[in-house]
Amino acid sequence: MDENYDVIVLGTGLTECILSGVLSVEGKKVLHIDRQDFYGGESASLNLSQLYSKFKPTAQKPELKGRDRDWCVDLIPKFLMANGELTNILVHTDVTRYIEFKQIGGSYVYRNGRIAKVPSNEMEAVRSSLMGIFEKRRMKRFLEFIANYKEEEPKTHQGLNLDSNTMNDVYNHFGLENGTKDFIGHAMALWSNDDYLNEVARPTYDRIILYVQSVAKYGKSPYIYPLYGLGELPQGFARLSAIYGGTYMLDTPIDEVLYTDDKKFAGVKTKEGTAKAPIVIADPTYFPEKVKKIGSKVIRAMCIMDHPIPNTNDLDSVQLIIPQNQVGRKSDIYITVLSDVHCVVPKGYYLAIVSTIIETEQPHVELEPAFKLLGPRLDTLMGIAELYEPLEDGTSDGIYLSKSYDSTSHFESTTDDVKDLYFRVMGKPLVLKKRPNAEEEEALNGLE
Amino acid sequence: MRKFIKSNDSILTSVVGKTSLITRFMYDTFDDQYAATIGIDFLLKTMYLEDNKTIRLQLWDTAGQERFRSLIPSYIRDSHVAVICYDITNKKSFENLNKWIQDVKLERGDDVIIVVVGNKSDLNNKRQVTMEECEAYLKSINGKFCIETSTKANHNVKQLFKKIASSLPDIETSAKDESTQPETVDINIEQPKVESSSCC
């Protein structure tokens, strides 16, 4: 196959697949290649044998029930915010027709040695066991302020300016305790460290609104999750791309990258032949010389268990956040728990993924506070990931690179990267148009 | 409205003449020059069987992802039936069936009905694969049935899908299984407008 394309995409991670899908819908001729024989790249979900060969190649697998393919273990633990940007993209592209979602059962936070549900509205704040009686009232007033804040009505601002006051100013206005700041900032605004305290309040306000609106959407928690694992997401967008003419080649290593005389990207050579395009979009692993380490590493531990997390009402799934201050750290520890309800483990098993940014020479010890909350584990697989970002924006050589998936608990930074890449490639902001539904597509094809 | 993969019977086709098989069945058309602006994602067809049963088939096309063997696994996972096609005038396409059967069995084990279709039966004079070879092969892979069709001459296409429909296990039972699962959420439902400034 010696062919010309508008765009070549390397790596089938979520970022790359969303872009393939969107660009194909816009009429671009896309060739999408992955060196591995499965979809998802760094954001894949692995079956049991893939998981063990990656993380414990020499160890004996424990006796586990179920078939290999009944396990779909995410390499990057994240949840979707029900009202977040990825959800918006899924709806606009109608990729929802390929993927089913379920709610995450609850959102929990660790405070003073125990865990409790994160209150998301005034009513829950009043009932919450996280705070004493007076603090509850202060929290209630804070949440009312957030809910009632209207840009154009200064009387709802209570004398605060979200663009000049720091978030700490806002907390102090309501007299909130440090422990309460911890769970608002880390379990609702989902900041993973305390830098936000001394920055203007606006971004934190926006994040709390996103959290609250996401909870309001389905009720149990702000998070949703695709059946069969996060690896379904890139696959859904890959199918979208294919329907709109995208060509897919898995299991195809890149033998050579071709350049023009003035060092611009020209194409790739693979076992299938030469493919040419003026533009390539790729994950950092395809151009290691064009990315740099961002300086922080993430440790992730996948824990196989046969019970739910203690003190979470036996929920089938939870997000549990250990704010950094609570355990004397600089960054939070995240725990995601899933079960057979989400079709990622066989019946009777639970999968907890613990992750954090490494701060010491003994990263596995840093996860101990989380392991204590989990209770007994059948097996634990650990991996450390270096995070990369591109050195250049790609406009000079036509090589547009994505960032590594970070340690945040949701996809908002991933969709930011998608939008940023789109802008760099196309020179205009990404505007999502509603994709025709299945019937309308039939009509477009002249088939009725 | 939400339509979903798992509810009906998805069908996997591959290799040769698959899209024309679907369009012939659905719309009774055959177009050599047929070039869709958009690929076929999936199509729904309600069939009425002799014994007053109705069956809703959900036909999924491969969307070209079979070209370099890059079908998404969920495509196979959610299927009840895999229709695997070869071209009777092309021995190679028949020999290639094996890799597709492997992919299907890897994902679905024995929980899937496999149907083998030899297309282009109108080109009998160029035949490279006999019906006997197909029958023998079917037996070796424990498939359900094989059939030769011509989408061009509209031969056996309807019969193919009728046979598929009548070889499906009782749908009611599988529907019941699904209702015991906790509900999924419909993220397509209109939501209150997110403020334009939201999220950073």
Side-chain angles (χ1 to χ4, degrees):
Chain A
M1 63 152 258
D2 295 295
E3 292 175 29
N4 291 307
Y5 295 86
D6 295 322
V7 184
I8 292 174
V9 183
L10 305 181
T12 52
L14 179 60
T15 306
E16 287 72 29
C17 284
I18 295 175
L19 284 162
S20 271
V22 168
L23 292 170
S24 298
V25 171
E26 290 182 5
K28 295 274 178 288
K29 193 178 174 197
V30 175
L31 171 65
H32 202 152
I33 302 175
D34 198 305
R35 63 166 87 82
Q36 290 176 298
D37 64 357
F38 55 87
Y39 279 95
E42 300 293 303
S43 60
S45 305
L46 302 185
N47 66 34
L48 203 57
S49 54
Q50 288 171 327
L51 185 72
Y52 273 86
S53 74
K54 185 173 170 81
F55 293 100
K56 276 192 177 176
T58 53
Q60 184 68 31
K61 248 190 312 195
E63 268 311 302
L64 296 167
K65 284 177 287 185
R67 296 161 300 189
D68 212 29
R69 63 178 187 276
D70 292 334
W71 297 80
C72 307
V73 180
D74 301 329
L75 288 176
I76 309 284
K78 281 180 188 291
F79 290 146
L80 285 85
M81 300 295 289
N83 220 15
E85 189 55 22
L86 183 53
T87 309
N88 183 33
I89 294 174
L90 283 161
V91 170
H92 271 82
T93 53
D94 209 20
V95 166
T96 47
R97 66 170 87 153
Y98 313 125
I99 308 170
E100 284 183 281
F101 292 87
K102 279 192 176 148
Q103 286 192 67
I104 293 301
S107 168
Y108 283 73
V109 64
Y110 177 88
R111 186 178 182 186
N112 299 335
R114 55 201 186 82
I115 60 176
K117 197 169 184 296
V118 179
S120 63
N121 57 40
E122 302 93 280
M123 299 299 293
E124 285 185 7
V126 172
R127 289 196 303 266
S128 175
S129 62
L130 281 167
M131 297 162 284
I133 179 90
F134 295 109
E135 185 68 357
K136 278 181 190 179
R137 284 190 204 154
R138 292 188 281 267
M139 176 68 177
K140 181 169 176 281
R141 281 198 291 273
F142 172 79
L143 287 175
E144 280 166 352
F145 161 73
I146 297 285
N148 296 330
Y149 182 91
K150 285 196 186 65
E151 210 58 62
E152 62 281 7
E153 288 178 36
K155 69 175 192 318
T156 66
H157 300 183
Q158 304 197 18
L160 293 164
N161 184 332
L162 295 182
D163 298 308
S164 61
N165 285 113
T166 65
M167 194 59 208
N168 217 6
D169 294 340
V170 176
Y171 285 148
N172 292 338
H173 176 85
F174 293 94
L176 293 170
E177 295 167 1
N178 283 338
T180 308
K181 293 178 188 175
D182 272 353
F183 83 71
I184 295 171
H186 294 262
M188 294 181 80
L190 300 167
W191 294 111
S192 57
N193 61 48
D194 264 351
D195 295 349
Y196 79 98
L197 280 174
N198 299 315
E199 287 162 12
V200 294
R202 173 79 63 189
T204 305
Y205 164 79
D206 288 340
R207 283 167 165 244
I208 296 172
I209 291 286
L210 174 63
Y211 185 94
V212 170
Q213 287 184 343
S214 292
V215 176
K217 229 173 149 188
Y218 304 116
K220 291 181 188 166
S221 80
Y223 307 112
I224 54 174
Y225 185 84
L227 295 191
Y228 301 102
L230 296 177
E232 294 297 293
L233 297 168
Q235 288 182 38
F237 286 100
R239 179 151 178 108
L240 170 68
S241 168
I243 297 293
Y244 281 81
T247 301
Y248 276 80
M249 288 169 41
L250 297 187
D251 199 15
T252 307
I254 303 303
D255 297 333
E256 191 188 341
V257 177
L258 307 172
Y259 293 91
T260 61
D261 294 338
D262 51 352
K263 304 227 159 45
K264 287 190 164 73
F265 178 80
V268 292
K269 260 189 194 162
T270 68
K271 62 184 178 190
E272 302 288 348
T274 300
K276 291 189 172 168
I279 288 170
V280 64
I281 298 172
D283 77 42
T285 63
Y286 286 85
F287 290 91
E289 74 285 4
K290 289 183 180 290
V291 294
K292 62 169 188 273
K293 294 176 181 172
I294 67 164
S296 55
K297 288 187 206 172
V298 178
I299 180 165
R300 300 182 175 111
M302 288 142 249
C303 311
I304 298 169
M305 313 193 301
D306 57 6
H307 59 84
I309 292 205
N311 309 311
T312 56
N313 285 322
D314 292 348
L315 288 176
D316 57 48
S317 53
V318 291
Q319 163 84 278
L320 170 53
I321 292 173
I322 307 177
Q324 27 106 314
N325 283 330
Q326 297 290 323
V327 286
R329 295 175 53 75
K330 289 199 262 326
S331 47
D332 296 351
I333 303 174
Y334 295 116
I335 307 174
T336 63
V337 183
L338 294 161
S339 65
D340 68 291
V341 163
H342 304 86
C343 309
V344 296
V345 289
K347 215 169 172 51
Y349 290 108
Y350 290 78
L351 178 74
I353 307 185
V354 183
S355 65
T356 192
I357 293 171
I358 293 174
E359 296 174 1
T360 69
E361 297 298 314
Q362 290 177 296
H364 58 284
V365 178
E366 297 181 45
L367 301 179
E368 277 305 322
F371 292 155
K372 274 189 198 134
L373 298 175
L374 293 182
R377 288 163 279 144
L378 297 175
D379 201 6
T380 304
L381 300 99
M382 291 201 216
I384 291 175
E386 188 83 56
L387 304 184
Y388 296 94
E389 63 184 14
L391 285 166
E392 290 178 37
D393 70 1
T395 45
S396 65
D397 56 6
I399 298 173
Y400 299 90
L401 304 178
S402 60
K403 295 177 183 167
S404 304
Y405 301 95
D406 63 19
S407 65
T408 58
S409 60
H410 50 63
F411 284 102
E412 300 305 307
S413 56
T414 306
T415 49
D416 284 349
D417 196 30
V418 167
K419 288 178 176 177
D420 184 51
L421 269 161
Y422 182 92
F423 186 83
R424 277 143 59 195
V425 172
M426 301 295 288
K428 59 180 187 195
L430 172 60
V431 179
L432 289 168
K433 286 180 281 283
K434 187 86 185 75
R435 176 187 175 190
N437 64 30
E439 288 83 19
E440 290 160 353
E441 280 186 358
E442 276 185 55
L444 277 172
N445 273 330
L447 302 170
E448 246 148 332
Chain B
M1 244 317 268
R2 180 174 177 79
K3 11 201 149 12
F4 232 83
I5 318 176
K6 288 194 78 175
S7 51
N8 286 296
D9 304 287
S10 324
I11 292 187
L12 160 72
T13 60
S14 82
V15 188
V16 174
K18 51 211 162 16
T19 305
S20 71
L21 198 61
I22 294 178
T23 49
R24 169 59 87 181
F25 172 60
M26 290 293 295
Y27 312 110
D28 207 10
T29 57
F30 179 83
D31 185 355
D32 267 337
Q33 310 301 314
Y34 179 76
T37 46
I38 305 169
I40 292 179
D41 199 357
F42 61 84
L43 300 169
L44 296 168
K45 176 100 170 179
T46 306
M47 293 195 72
Y48 304 94
L49 303 179
E50 275 91 13
D51 48 356
N52 275 338
K53 272 203 293 192
T54 55
I55 281 196
R56 254 160 74 84
L57 292 178
Q58 197 178 51
L59 308 172
W60 287 70
D61 200 2
T62 49
Q65 284 178 308
E66 82 290 354
R67 185 173 162 207
F68 298 103
R69 217 182 161 185
S70 304
L71 282 176
I72 58 175
S74 62
Y75 175 84
I76 300 173
R77 188 184 53 225
D78 294 314
S79 303
H80 291 121
V81 182
V83 181
I84 311 209
C85 311
Y86 66 96
D87 172 353
I88 68 159
T89 68
N90 180 341
K91 187 91 183 179
K92 187 114 207 298
S93 71
F94 182 71
E95 285 161 355
N96 276 341
L97 292 179
N98 241 336
K99 63 178 190 182
W100 297 106
I101 307 274
Q102 265 174 30
D103 280 2
V104 169
K105 295 224 161 173
L106 187 72
E107 203 61 45
R108 298 286 278 121
D110 289 323
D111 307 337
V112 67
I113 295 168
I114 296 178
V115 173
V116 179
V117 176
N119 198 23
K120 305 196 186 173
S121 64
D122 53 296
L123 302 174
N124 202 16
N125 54 336
K126 291 186 186 162
R127 177 188 288 276
Q128 290 182 1
V129 185
T130 66
M131 195 60 197
E132 289 70 39
E133 284 176 274
C134 185
E135 292 285 0
Y137 178 68
L138 185 82
K139 222 172 174 182
S140 74
I141 58 153
N142 201 18
K144 192 78 179 179
F145 65 88
C146 56
I147 188 169
E148 287 188 354
T149 60
S150 165
T151 46
K152 192 170 187 178
N154 197 12
H155 172 64
N156 261 352
V157 176
K158 228 179 207 145
Q159 285 80 343
L160 160 67
F161 287 99
K162 256 196 175 145
K163 272 184 101 163
I164 288 169
S166 49
S167 50
L168 284 166
D170 206 342
I171 305 289
E172 316 259 323
T173 27
S174 54
K176 210 182 265 169
D177 283 349
E178 270 174 30
S179 66
T180 59
Q181 288 273 323
E183 268 185 40
T184 55
V185 294
D186 186 349
I187 68 172
N188 284 329
I189 288 174
E190 277 303 307
Q191 55 200 63
K193 260 224 156 77
V194 189
E195 279 166 53
S196 57
S197 62
S198 95
C199 193
C200 20

